[in-house]
Amino acid sequence: MTSSHAVQSGDAVRKHVLVFRTLPPDQLARLQAAHDVTVADPRKPEERPRFDAALAQAQGLIGASFPVDAALLARAPRLEVVSSISVGVDNYALDVLQARGIVLCHTPGVLDETVADSVFALLMATSRRLVELSQLVREGHWNKNIGEDLFGSDVHGKTLGLLGFGRIGQAIARRAALGFGMPVIYHARRPVDLATQAPELQGKAEHVPLPALLARSDFVVAMLPLSDSTRGMVNADLLAAMKPGAIFINGGRGATVVEQDLLHALDHGTLRAAGLDVFATEPLPLASPLRTHPRVTPLPHIGSATHDTRHAMAALATTNLLQALAGERPAAVYNPAHP
Ligand code: 8YV
């Protein structure tokens, strides 16, 4: 920790904090009360010089949706803490943070139910073709009862297969099993002890090998974090092993899917449809065929995007940062940062 760079004011040690994504005013005020804060968004060219100058001084960084990679960290020699307003940490050079003893904080827990709501909404919209059929009404084409060609597929009672069974996966499983009478199967690195972690799902969610999950699931929902072991995991082989007519939903990270393979499975395989909240490149490039494919329901990464939840995430990230800069163990630390 480089407290020699801190500015002494009364008893409190004021440090340099760089906010690289807009914070709600009440959370920004908490930071400003304790530290010297610069707000600069590196994605805006006009703010880049201010961002670069603040980065060179920063002891604390807080923000989201921007790659904090090795090159960026090399320009932040005083950095002590990075506080991400996200649960996913794939934007951060974890090895560099660990090697330099920089604490990384994130926001698990506060977004689980909201992301599960979003994923379930996407699942229902995709299976019942809500977006497409609403568009038909808007465009004035509802001139007769819709026919079989526009029917959807049932959700209730169908089998849900979850790739990844963390807190959010479990929240999705509760909706499916307890609300929609869906048998739930999941594949994760290791089975979850439901008795202690999710007693309400006991007897209602079963850990199965990946091939069994793919063969049995009417809906395959990917809620995978992005890591070396999950990058490109949803590939041609995996998609080809899905039950004919299955629907694929991705609410985790886009790069866990080989998008070309997904398109191929939609056009030449038996996949019925895909609902995607995340993409390998975000925002989704205009040229991506996933943007306009008739059997893809694309969303602009809205998993946690409600007023309540984004505020809760910002508040937790702010608390994490304040605690870590004060030398306390943060409420939600990802790497305990011992080099
Ligand atoms: C947010 C997310 O989109 O928390 C995450 O990991 O993917 C989302 O909740 C994002 O990080 C922006 O705050």
Side-chain angles (χ1 to χ4, degrees):
M1 296 266 170
T2 52
S3 54
S4 56
H5 296 297
V7 179
Q8 216 50 54
S9 122
D11 290 329
V13 178
R14 294 184 74 83
K15 295 187 175 179
H16 294 285
V17 168
L18 171 54
V19 179
F20 62 96
R21 173 182 166 138
T22 317
L23 271 180
D26 59 337
Q27 301 307 313
L28 185 60
R30 288 175 68 202
L31 286 180
Q32 286 166 331
H35 300 290
D36 297 327
V37 178
T38 303
V39 181
D41 186 340
R43 290 160 298 197
K44 296 184 183 157
E46 67 279 15
E47 295 188 19
R48 192 81 204 208
R50 216 151 40 82
F51 174 86
D52 290 343
L55 186 63
Q57 300 301 320
Q59 288 144 304
L61 269 186
I62 181 168
S65 309
F66 189 75
V68 177
D69 56 15
L72 186 143
L73 289 169
R75 296 188 290 122
R78 297 176 170 184
L79 201 58
E80 299 170 15
V81 186
V82 177
S83 184
S84 187
I85 313 170
S86 68
V87 65
V89 292
D90 44 286
N91 265 329
Y92 303 90
L94 301 178
D95 50 345
V96 178
L97 295 175
Q98 190 70 11
R100 282 179 48 189
I102 298 169
V103 179
L104 175 63
C105 310
H106 64 149
T107 62
V110 292
L111 75 181
D112 301 345
E113 299 299 328
T114 296
V115 177
D117 286 350
S118 305
V119 169
F120 221 85
L122 183 54
L123 186 152
M124 296 198 67
T126 304
S127 55
R128 298 300 305 271
R129 305 171 67 169
L130 296 188
V131 178
E132 175 189 355
L133 292 173
S134 181
Q135 195 63 22
L136 174 143
V137 178
R138 285 169 177 268
E139 287 172 357
H141 298 310
W142 188 24
N143 37 33
K144 58 177 173 18
N145 284 347
I146 65 154
E148 277 188 23
D149 56 327
L150 292 175
F151 287 176
S153 48
D154 276 338
V155 174
H156 67 274
K158 294 296 174 75
T159 299
L160 172 68
L162 282 156
L163 300 178
F165 200 59
R167 284 174 297 255
I168 299 172
Q170 291 169 32
I172 295 168
R174 280 197 299 278
R175 283 157 178 74
L178 308 179
F180 285 76
M182 299 170 80
V184 176
I185 51 184
Y186 71 93
H187 182 73
R189 267 172 306 178
R190 59 192 81 84
V192 170
D193 178 14
L194 295 175
T196 55
Q197 291 192 41
E200 67 282 14
L201 288 174
Q202 266 185 298
K204 296 187 184 305
E206 180 198 355
H207 182 258
V208 297
L210 186 56
L213 181 139
L214 299 172
R216 286 167 53 187
S217 298
D218 298 296
F219 296 93
V220 175
V221 175
M223 292 307 302
L224 298 162
L226 184 61
S227 69
D228 289 344
S229 56
T230 61
R231 187 179 297 276
M233 183 175 153
V234 180
N235 59 15
D237 290 345
L238 188 148
L239 290 158
M242 285 185 194
K243 182 173 172 176
I247 289 179
F248 174 69
I249 306 290
N250 192 5
R253 283 294 182 264
T256 62
V257 175
V258 181
E259 292 180 341
Q260 280 306 326
D261 292 357
L262 177 61
L263 282 161
H264 191 272
L266 285 163
D267 290 334
H268 305 289
T270 60
L271 194 64
R272 185 188 303 273
L276 307 172
D277 187 38
V278 290
F279 298 88
T281 304
E282 296 177 5
L284 183 63
L286 284 181
S288 170
L290 292 171
R291 188 171 64 85
T292 50
H293 194 289
R295 282 185 290 122
V296 172
T297 305
L299 290 177
H301 198 149
I302 58 160
S304 64
T306 65
H307 292 292
D308 290 340
T309 292
R310 282 293 171 83
H311 189 274
M313 291 166 71
L316 176 54
T318 301
T319 299
N320 284 335
L321 182 60
L322 290 170
Q323 289 172 328
L325 286 176
E328 298 161 17
R329 188 183 169 85
V333 62
Y334 182 83
N335 70 340
H338 293 300

